[in-house]
Amino acid sequence: MPVAPLPDGVHPAWLPSAALRAVGSRRVRVVGDGPVVATVRGEVAAAVAEHGGALVDDGPVDLELVCAPDGGEPDPEAFVVGRSGTTTLVRAIDGVGLLYGFHHVVRQGESAFRGEAAPERHAPRQPVRMLDHWDNIDVHPVMGQVERGYAGGSIFYDDGVVRADLSRARAYARLLGSIGVNRVGLNNVNVHRTEARLLTDLLPEAVRLAEVFRPHGIRVHLSVSFAAPMTLGGLPTADPLDPAVRDWWARTTAEVYAAIPDFGGYVVKADSEGQPGPFAYGRDHADGANLLARALAPFGGTVFWRAFVYNHRQDWRDRTTDRARAAYDHFAPLDGAFDPNVVLQVKAGPMDFQPREPVSPVVAAMPRTSLAVEVQVTQEYTGHQKHVCYLVPLWREMLLFRPWGEGGATVADVAAGRTGAPAGGVVAVSNVGDDPFWTGHPLAQANLYGFGRLAWDDRLTPEAVLDEWIGLTFGEAADVREALHDIMDGSWPTYERYTAPLGVGFMVNPGDHYGPGIDGYEYSSWGTYHFADRDGLGVDRTRATGTGFTGQYPASWRDVYESTSTCPDELLLFFHHVPYGHVLRSGKTVVQHIYDTHFEGREEVVRMAGRWARLEGRVPGEVFERVTALLREQLRSATEWRDQVNTYFWRKSGVPDAHGRTIY
Amino acid sequence: MPVAPLPDGVHPAWLPSAALRAVGSRRVRVVGDGPVVATVRGEVAAAVAEHGGALVDDGPVDLELVCAPDGGEPDPEAFVVGRSGTTTLVRAIDGVGLLYGFHHVVRQGESAFRGEAAPERHAPRQPVRMLDHWDNIDVHPVMGQVERGYAGGSIFYDDGVVRADLSRARAYARLLGSIGVNRVGLNNVNVHRTEARLLTDLLPEAVRLAEVFRPHGIRVHLSVSFAAPMTLGGLPTADPLDPAVRDWWARTTAEVYAAIPDFGGYVVKADSEGQPGPFAYGRDHADGANLLARALAPFGGTVFWRAFVYNHRQDWRDRTTDRARAAYDHFAPLDGAFDPNVVLQVKAGPMDFQPREPVSPVVAAMPRTSLAVEVQVTQEYTGHQKHVCYLVPLWREMLLFRPWGEGGATVADVAAGRTGAPAGGVVAVSNVGDDPFWTGHPLAQANLYGFGRLAWDDRLTPEAVLDEWIGLTFGEAADVREALHDIMDGSWPTYERYTAPLGVGFMVNPGDHYGPGIDGYEYSSWGTYHFADRDGLGVDRTRATGTGFTGQYPASWRDVYESTSTCPDELLLFFHHVPYGHVLRSGKTVVQHIYDTHFEGREEVVRMAGRWARLEGRVPGEVFERVTALLREQLRSATEWRDQVNTYFWRKSGVPDAHGRTIY
């Protein structure tokens, strides 16, 4: 299968022609059959055509890519790579393993063709590496076409229909395949009217998208509405225990599989933020999830059931209700009740993709349930792809968190099934759109790349992942590499510094979630409060005096979080309400810490912008200009954050800045 | 001309059949010709047909309506009414005066036909009594069809076109004619693309609307875009001093008058909140206004040029910029520079239709300029027609304010030209839409009625106006009358109590302006701040230490407002930043006043709702139900206001409520 040409003006992301030079200048043999092997062959053919190598069937070869059964290898996604004499050999039992092995070689570049290397097996550390698209088919009047999308319209849909021209989607599937993503959710988890019909009369359109992803080893999923038996099927109920409802799902699912034999399954947001669900019928989430699981089981499908369930009509006056508790309270009691092909999709933190949250206690609470940890590649709360915010360090910190304390398993271990729990995986919300740079901010491509790589192997460091991405995207110039590390490595902590302090979260403008709104959610129904008064701030989530949320963790963390003397400073205000004068480990008071980090964070953006300015002429002009413009916006926004946060706390606390800087 | 039938299900407002019973059961003669006399004749014909009277040409009459020249009477809108023997006689020199006289008799009901009464002349106290419609033709994605409209869609426009069926507009024109409104602005002052074309290719549609209003003595106006010579005319500039621009306006205006000979003129929002204007060409507002005035002058047209000009991209950090100063700073220096047919349309307060503001100092600053005072009948900041808020007391207080102090002229005097300044008038933004009750909240009809009556005669008391409205709308039952006075008379002060305190203003949710958002505009660019910190709140607008805004008033008020010891308490925080412990004339501290008024205001809504509940069966069922539902919402909203405002100030001040009530 030939490599789909990139539409005019679209940035090649991490697969520009130059990234395939090392492979493309070699003699390469590809052995095997099937659609994904054909993709590998197409990649090689395109690369050698461009760089002077050859795709050969015999004779001496520099690179041999072999897809063949291997008695010992259980994992069709695994590959073995080694080098002997002058030949680099990649073996896999399936096309998808071969594709991953091929891109492994691409990432290695020239070094894949030097010296000797003993055969080394590579296999993904997570079985599920999924990207959810919150794309709508119809442009939603409030949320736009891509909910929480900051990179233009959908690459799948025009307003109202699946695109006639799917070349962007094809190029996207190629990018995802190259980083090991193996599942894609095709539509928004908030399922509106037209999107619901992808399951029925618009199924032929979903088939077209499945065909786009299949050659890259990616199975597609549909987000479905729990009310579909009523809205699409004309039944009087969607009760999961009603036989007619069961039949409807079974019949409908069979039709989906008749059209898409490798269909991945469903994604469901039920009884959450207004979406329909089993509660309406007095059933629980296990009843709901198992209903769909049983329809999918005969075909090997999976239902991803989101655990993002909470009361979004909370009364801000009521300090006993704690949204952070909600997922655990709803789901932990159901451990063991879910069918094997249900994956419970749990947001990594207990709230909602904030720049800093503790890990969700659900992860440690459901040993008999498949869990998938969900993060956001799209920068809903991290700067809307207008701010540089390299998120791999955040995700890695959460994936390597050890819920049972030192020496215990990590979150990644739980998700991967390495703790004995059934395996799940990792899921992220995509950050792409029809913007020429895919992600709005060109540097936000690194988050998409990094998600795939980290999902493949959580042991990779964020710096190493970024380093790969820089090399592939920008080539090998040392000054560019150094500058991008300097700008991006610490950009998440920088973002954290100038926004909400010490894990308190939110403080964003309601609705769009961009820019400071210190009291923006303080008197709302969303359960996201900071409780700042003239004496202090933070949310008391202790067992002793607060909401008891700390009690949802295993003993080690339960006690660490319970006390201000052991709670990590960066999460202090997530777990505790403290006076402004509370002294942090740094020796600073909370309020001085707020002032300092906000002044510093904003200064770091100034420095970042200065560093970038020196790259003029060293990176492509259109990248330089886009990033330059966005850094201007980031600086404007960071200045606004600094001044609003500092002013708010100065007005409230009355404590002057120790360094006498300007606060308004 | 027959009275247009009211479409099915539409509430008759203050002209139900019963309101015309006294007239309709008499023998009535109508003498005169022309379209407005025909309207009067149609009214009489319909009323007598319904109530058993007769429209006669001779013989004994109970009511004689005579339109005839009268050497002494200069005002075509005036009428003389008297009673001699068994005949009530209304005389006017023009149809419109006769129409007003007819409705005067309608309002009097049976008492118009009792005893003797010497002839009494009635003439409007304001020459211009205008309603502006902020209606869009196309539904605006953010603002909807009617900007700041809370009563459904436009009665003029469907989405995209002028309605084929204008029967609602006809019924509306009849209602307006009955209360003396004599001009209507047909489209939103924020002129979008389609609406701009009412001036050119959509002019035939404006003609249809003009025909609707003409028989009721109402001249129509169009809001126009200052950029129209470019956007509609294809010119490279809209520079007011460019001859081609002048020619374009002259030509275009002539075409409008060819189609609508009694066209009223233009309404313009220029260089305000993003609208185009003369500043782009280095010209001032007089250049801009006179450009249009000169195009209109040959035809007797007027341009209403809005003085609502300020910097809406203000920096909240900058306390020297004061939006309250803006209109004066922009326009006072231009006094004398405007052509005679320019009316400067000045918002009554210096900010933006808040529940409590001082009167704009512009009113006293431009003795050589025609001024129209603008108020909002639509309840943008006064509860979105979900809250009962009878606004006539607010408008009257502003109209009777004496900018030069005790014994000086009133605002109404200035607007009417009674101070020697050229006459302007009063203008309001309409509150009607295609809701069956016209105004969403049935009781908000009283604001529309009251605006017309107060514009006619500012000496009428709010209670008397309400009394008229109750009688016409609900009939003469004493218990209903008493209950409605009880609910409505004090509803504006009640609304003020539970919302932003002591004239500080805003504290609303950004964007929609409904419900509390204490810090909603505090860090925004809109110039609307309260500056609350842990010690106090309010805006220092003094000359001594603040923005100097007080200096824009004539001496008497300038000094009164300058000092906290003389500034009226209800405007204290508009003019001063004071500590929470500042003691008001009531003996209460500011913060205790905030707590008390918020508890009290909310309790008044409880009482209001209880009072209304007892009217079940005493008012029409659909009115009862609508108002009952809205009172529920008002109570919910007032509770939210109470709790958010009190909590905000308790958290900030740390001062406990003297009465130990619950604050969160």
Side-chain angles (χ1 to χ4, degrees), chain A residues 316-317 319 519 522-523 531-535 639-640 643-644 647-648 650-654 664, chain B residues 316-317 319 518-519 522-523 531-535 639-640 643-644 647-648 650-654 664:
Chain A
W316 60 268
R317 299 163 188 82
R319 292 209 192 186
D519 270 2
E522 192 58 16
Y523 302 96
F531 299 123
D533 60 23
R534 74 196 320 255
D535 301 315
T639 306
E640 206 55 43
D643 289 340
Q644 291 197 29
T647 299
Y648 181 96
W650 181 66
R651 286 190 188 174
K652 233 167 190 159
S653 72
Y664 297 90
Chain B
W316 59 268
R317 299 164 188 82
R319 292 209 192 185
I518 322 302
D519 269 3
E522 190 59 16
Y523 301 97
F531 300 123
D533 60 24
R534 72 194 322 253
D535 302 315
T639 306
E640 205 56 42
D643 290 339
Q644 290 196 30
T647 299
Y648 182 96
W650 181 67
R651 286 189 188 175
K652 232 165 191 160
S653 73
Y664 298 90

Side-chain angles (χ1 to χ4, degrees), chain A residues 135 137 145 152-170 205 208-209 433-435:
Chain A
D135 294 27
I137 301 179
Q145 191 173 17
S154 169
I155 58 170
F156 303 153
Y157 313 111
D158 276 328
D159 187 6
V161 291
V162 173
R163 286 177 182 272
D165 175 3
L166 286 172
S167 54
R168 274 304 281 278
R170 268 185 211 101
E205 301 292 282
R208 291 179 56 223
L209 289 168
D434 66 3
D435 173 81

Side-chain angles (χ1 to χ4, degrees), chain A residues 468-611:
Chain A
E468 286 178 9
W469 175 78
I470 295 170
L472 290 166
T473 307
F474 291 99
E476 297 302 324
D479 60 334
V480 173
R481 183 179 297 272
E482 197 187 319
L484 287 172
H485 274 292
D486 193 22
I487 290 165
M488 296 173 72
D489 280 343
S491 54
W492 162 54
T494 293
Y495 185 83
E496 184 185 22
R497 273 183 207 107
Y498 60 73
T499 56
L502 297 166
V504 77
F506 292 88
M507 297 193 169
V508 289
N509 277 314
D512 77 351
H513 300 166
Y514 186 74
I518 321 301
D519 270 2
Y521 278 100
E522 192 58 16
Y523 302 96
S524 78
S525 68
W526 294 93
T528 52
Y529 315 116
H530 54 66
F531 299 123
D533 60 23
R534 74 196 320 255
D535 301 315
L537 82 161
V539 188
D540 186 349
R541 292 191 161 107
T542 64
R543 277 160 295 149
T545 55
T547 67
F549 170 69
T550 57
Q552 295 186 340
Y553 286 91
S556 53
W557 285 105
R558 181 193 306 159
D559 298 333
V560 166
Y561 291 145
E562 178 74 10
S563 162
T564 56
S565 66
T566 48
C567 181
D569 279 348
E570 69 269 19
L571 289 170
L572 182 68
L573 302 179
F574 191 95
F575 286 105
H576 298 278
H577 188 94
V578 301
Y580 292 117
H582 174 89
V583 177
L584 300 170
R585 285 171 183 71
S586 63
K588 288 178 184 173
T589 62
V590 164
V591 68
Q592 189 61 43
H593 172 91
I594 292 173
Y595 298 155
D596 287 351
T597 50
H598 284 76
F599 282 113
E600 289 159 14
R602 190 259 183 195
E603 282 313 303
E604 284 160 27
V605 179
V606 172
R607 208 186 50 75
M608 230 182 231
R611 195 81 169 87

